[in-house]
Amino acid sequence: MKIVVEQNEKRLDKYLAENTEFSRSQIEKMLEQECILVNGKLEKASFKVKENDCIEFVKEYSFETKVEPVKMDLNIIYEDKDIIVIDKPSGLVVHPGSGNYNNTLANGLLYYTKDLSDQNGIERPGIVHRIDKDTSGLLLIAKTNEAHQILTEDFKEKKVSREYVALLIGEFPNRQAIIDAPIGRDEQNRKRMTVTAKNSKHAVTHLKVLKRFNDYTLVRLKLETGRTHQIRVHMKYIGYPIYNDPVYTNKKCSEFGQFLHADQIHFEHPITKEKMAFSSPIPKEMQEFINNLEELAE
């Protein structure tokens, strides 16, 4: 990843913390591990960057952080000796990062069981895939490395089907759509993603209208790829952003976050090869808002 500085006289660690997803402490560790170069040279965290300086992340980094078990209520809807299917609430981060090391799903999983795969390292025990903090819904957890490896391959080969429901701002005019638009990091705001041809990855989202309301549309969305913030970025791109999304809309939002819920997952069991399918009801906050829209439409 490369960043061209657009701001004068700011500390390197502060500038990167403000323009990437990493915290200042993480940036400092990355500098210590010689993962970052400025104009091709190693610099200290206190180095003052100048306009047009080129900052480059040149190698992988590792944060040696111990994830502690934390007691929390987990909504487990299925479990056997190989996998767990969890219904994650809005507001819960999936794994540690950016200064949050004690209040994530990974912490809760470690308290619940010691039988979790370690294929993704000590910070992501059992985590096969993720959804955003304020996106609710279904997640697959691997209890063994064998199950984890197989599920990872199944995701790559698109054998795992994930579907979402979302409430969009505006009345989407078509019955369905396919959004095929590459996604990369937003150069104006490094904490956001955007549709761009520069340093981007192929991304495809399938949309189907479920119901239209006055100024809103309830839709079903199916991922063909799994990019960061993919649905949220694609919905903003087509001009119908997700309601209550604090990152991709300019409207006032409640603490609940975006009305986006991963309500269905279909996959083949990694060990038994049984066809598995699970669904999750829309969260209370989202359902109550939709019910109110329906009442106003009557």
Side-chain angles (χ1 to χ4, degrees):
M1 179 172 73
K2 290 185 180 181
I3 299 173
V4 177
V5 176
E6 298 178 353
Q7 188 171 354
N8 290 320
E9 298 302 317
K10 187 168 278 193
R11 284 176 57 109
L12 175 60
D13 56 349
K14 185 176 181 181
Y15 181 83
L16 288 176
E18 291 175 353
N19 291 278
T20 71
E21 70 272 30
F22 303 113
S23 66
R24 286 182 73 169
S25 62
Q26 288 176 322
I27 293 296
E28 288 173 3
K29 291 179 181 178
M30 294 167 80
L31 289 168
E32 291 171 2
Q33 294 178 31
E34 300 184 354
C35 299
I36 301 172
L37 299 180
V38 182
N39 300 324
K41 298 194 306 182
L42 295 171
E43 300 289 357
K44 294 181 180 180
S46 59
F47 176 79
K48 294 289 183 68
V49 296
K50 306 183 299 298
E51 188 174 357
N52 294 323
D53 278 349
C54 180
I55 303 171
E56 185 175 6
F57 291 73
V58 294
K59 67 178 183 179
E60 293 293 325
Y61 56 90
S62 61
F63 301 129
E64 295 181 1
T65 304
K66 186 177 181 182
V67 182
E68 299 291 345
V70 175
K71 185 177 182 180
M72 62 179 63
D73 292 327
L74 298 177
N75 187 5
I76 295 172
I77 63 174
Y78 175 81
E79 181 179 8
D80 60 30
K81 64 184 181 65
D82 302 296
I83 63 171
I84 300 172
V85 180
I86 257 180
D87 195 350
K88 186 190 85 67
S90 175
L92 180 63
V93 176
V94 172
H95 57 74
S98 299
N100 183 3
Y101 292 97
N102 297 309
N103 298 293
T104 73
L105 176 61
N107 298 101
L109 285 169
L110 280 175
Y111 185 92
Y112 174 74
T113 180
K114 297 296 185 287
D115 296 325
L116 294 167
S117 75
D118 60 6
Q119 187 163 306
N120 270 351
I122 59 174
E123 290 191 355
R124 303 185 183 188
I127 306 299
V128 179
H129 64 116
R130 60 179 292 277
I131 54 179
D132 297 335
K133 172 190 172 185
D134 292 329
T135 298
S136 55
L138 299 173
L139 278 172
L140 260 175
I141 305 299
K143 297 176 73 174
T144 68
N145 284 352
E146 181 183 8
H148 196 139
Q149 179 62 41
I150 294 169
L151 287 172
T152 298
E153 290 301 316
D154 285 349
F155 270 99
K156 288 180 181 177
E157 296 174 9
K158 302 177 183 178
K159 293 180 179 179
V160 180
S161 173
R162 292 175 289 161
E163 295 188 18
Y164 296 70
V165 287
L167 186 68
L168 309 185
I169 299 172
E171 297 180 41
F172 189 76
N174 306 100
R175 292 177 57 191
Q176 55 189 10
I178 298 174
I179 301 93
D180 185 345
I183 291 175
R185 196 158 295 281
D186 189 334
E187 293 187 342
Q188 304 304 314
N189 182 342
R190 302 295 298 179
K191 296 184 179 182
R192 297 198 318 183
M193 308 300 287
T194 189
V195 169
T196 176
K198 187 176 180 181
N199 297 322
S200 57
K201 293 181 179 180
H202 179 59
V204 179
T205 304
H206 297 259
L207 178 155
K208 181 181 179 180
V209 171
L210 297 177
K211 193 166 186 177
R212 293 184 185 88
F213 304 99
N214 186 26
D215 296 328
Y216 298 93
T217 307
L218 186 66
V219 298
R220 174 164 297 284
L221 300 149
K222 186 174 181 180
L223 292 174
E224 192 172 309
T225 53
R227 309 307 178 201
T228 300
H229 296 182
Q230 178 173 319
I231 291 175
R232 300 163 68 188
V233 171
H234 272 174
M235 295 307 100
K236 179 186 177 183
Y237 175 67
I238 64 174
Y240 297 86
I242 295 174
Y243 173 73
N244 210 51
D245 188 335
V247 177
Y248 294 101
T249 69
N250 295 320
K251 298 179 181 294
K252 184 178 180 181
C253 299
S254 71
E255 292 183 0
F256 180 77
Q258 61 268 7
F259 277 27
L260 176 62
H261 178 64
D263 75 324
Q264 293 188 26
I265 190 166
H266 304 259
F267 60 97
E268 182 180 87
H269 192 285
I271 307 302
T272 69
K273 304 307 177 184
E274 178 185 356
K275 298 295 183 183
M276 314 288 284
F278 298 94
S279 61
S280 163
I282 293 173
K284 178 183 176 183
E285 292 85 347
M286 186 173 170
Q287 187 62 64
E288 287 179 347
F289 190 89
I290 293 169
N291 290 345
N292 186 53
L293 292 178
E294 290 179 333
E295 289 176 3
L296 292 173
E298 291 177 356

